[in-house]
Amino acid sequence: MVLNNTLYVLGGYDAAPLRTVLRAPIRADGTVGEWVQDRDMPTPLYRLNAVVSNNAIYVIGGRPSTTTISRKIYRSVRSNGGALGNWVEMGSDILPEARADAVSLRRRASCLSSAVRMAARPGRAYMASRFGPMVR
């Protein structure tokens, strides 16, 4: 995920889900600078989705364990120096599944059902305003 010439890596899995957030500057020549740890997410997540809007990163859904699915959205606003602020829960119980894809376009976040589930049944699209809850 890239926000203002800074590359962010959010969560992941290493024997268990991670809450770690790392960031590194993207140099003018396109190379990546030194990685530093940033503010951890409020819960460990992997297979999460993230979008950027208005100087903030939104983390959407994901898996906090191998047996559960998060239906929450978290937001963290970037400071002038690149560090992330506190993570704030923006909504819950709003996503249909863990392996959805998310995009940001014209200040709206879209969450689309996973291709894996789409093979078994038609996909669903969910829309959200910049700060509002996701709706069908």
Side-chain angles (χ1 to χ4, degrees), residues 41-54:
M41 293 186 299
T43 187
L45 289 171
Y46 73 106
R47 292 187 179 165
L48 60 92
N49 297 284
V51 295
V52 171
S53 181
N54 293 329

Side-chain angles (χ1 to χ4, degrees), residues 6-134:
T6 302
L7 181 62
Y8 294 86
V9 175
L10 310 165
Y13 194 92
D14 185 15
L18 304 172
R19 68 177 65 229
T20 308
V21 176
L22 302 173
R23 68 179 157 89
I26 300 173
R27 299 181 184 122
D29 66 0
T31 60
V32 176
E34 183 178 339
W35 289 97
V36 296
Q37 187 161 351
D38 208 321
R39 187 174 307 272
D40 284 349
M41 293 186 299
T43 187
L45 289 171
Y46 73 106
R47 292 187 179 165
L48 60 92
N49 297 284
V51 295
V52 171
S53 181
N54 293 329
N55 204 43
I57 294 176
Y58 291 79
V59 171
I60 304 168
R63 287 189 171 272
S65 74
T66 58
T67 59
T68 58
I69 297 171
S70 172
R71 288 170 163 66
K72 296 182 179 181
I73 295 177
Y74 297 101
R75 178 187 74 184
S76 181
V77 178
R78 181 187 183 274
S79 72
N80 289 338
L84 295 176
N86 290 331
W87 289 94
V88 177
E89 186 178 321
M90 301 300 293
S92 62
D93 294 327
I94 52 181
L95 298 175
E97 48 201 80
R99 288 181 148 185
D101 294 307
V103 295
S104 178
L105 178 64
R106 295 185 186 172
R107 297 186 180 203
R108 295 181 72 85
S110 298
C111 181
L112 307 173
S113 293
S114 69
V116 173
R117 299 261 177 128
M118 287 172 66
R121 64 188 160 128
R124 299 180 188 148
Y126 293 77
M127 298 296 293
S129 65
R130 190 166 57 148
F131 298 109
M134 291 224 173

